[in-house]
Amino acid sequence: MLKKTFSLGEVLSSSFQFVFSNFSKRLKDGFVIVFIVTVAFNLLNFLISKSIATNFTIVLFILFSMFLTSSIGISVHREILVKIKQPYLSELLTANCFKYFLTILTLTIIAVSPLIIHYLFKSSGNLKILNLDISYLFFLWIFSVIISLKFIFNLPKIALNKKTQFSITSMNECGNKLFVLFIVITLIFFIPSFIILSVQITLLTNNQEIYAIAKPLFDLLSFYISYINYLVLFAAISFAYQKN
């Protein structure tokens, strides 16, 4: 088990410096991916408005976005850890990208497993597990996220073509710190996302015609914020892995 730890402030500072030291280039590098996701999202909204989209369609969009994000993650890890800069889409459709994507998917399922169980039990009308109210599963969500973060260093290992595994011996001991780090980064990017959402709601309430025209632009801005958010998260994983 990995026993070394890292400084939250140092990793947070290094991550934001990595992204914002050459911010204009980061925006340019991510434009194609952000544009593709924005178009796919608006197409999904159109299908939903026409009652064509199903829950499966929504899941496909989420998986598609995660797959594109995987290619970004590999590039960020390599740039930080081995100083190799490459286009974000250079790893798309490679075996490495599929492995990275499946690892992210696995970690996500581990993290949200209590919420999935809660949803399945509630959908079936069963509100108790072993005579305990299923609402308690929400408290387990924090622990499941921390457990998933104990395997997060598999991601940079995949980017570096190193052996990965899901076992007790491969777990890191900084899951708690990583949880705090991820929460801090997410809260920082929540502020601009909330501002854009507030402007959208105001336009939707007061002038729906302008909102309909401006909505694709708002979507583009929102996904750009998400893109920068992911860059910082991937950078944080890389620097934390480097310290360990």
Side-chain angles (χ1 to χ4, degrees), residues 84-190:
I84 296 177
K85 294 184 180 181
Q86 60 186 52
Y88 290 144
L89 293 177
S90 62
E91 288 291 328
L92 201 65
L93 302 181
T94 65
N96 227 23
C97 191
F98 277 100
K99 185 177 180 180
Y100 195 98
F101 161 72
L102 291 175
T103 303
I104 285 184
L105 184 60
T106 301
L107 294 176
T108 302
I109 292 174
I110 292 173
V112 301
S113 55
L115 305 184
I116 295 175
I117 296 172
H118 180 275
Y119 172 78
L120 293 175
F121 270 79
K122 190 174 182 180
S123 298
S124 64
N126 192 343
L127 301 180
K128 288 184 178 296
I129 301 177
L130 301 176
N131 293 323
L132 294 175
D133 195 297
I134 60 173
S135 60
Y136 288 108
L137 287 170
F138 283 97
F139 294 101
L140 294 178
W141 170 76
I142 296 177
F143 298 102
S144 63
V145 170
I146 292 175
I147 290 174
S148 69
L149 290 175
K150 286 182 174 292
F151 294 104
I152 201 72
F153 291 153
N154 277 328
L155 297 180
K157 286 180 180 179
I158 293 172
L160 300 178
N161 295 311
K162 293 185 176 182
K163 182 180 179 181
T164 61
Q165 58 180 334
F166 283 87
S167 66
I168 294 178
T169 55
S170 66
M171 293 171 67
N172 63 68
E173 290 193 345
C174 49
N176 295 340
K177 274 193 171 183
L178 287 167
F179 179 74
V180 174
L181 184 65
F182 275 43
I183 291 294
V184 171
I185 293 173
T186 302
L187 287 176
I188 290 173
F189 284 97
F190 173 77

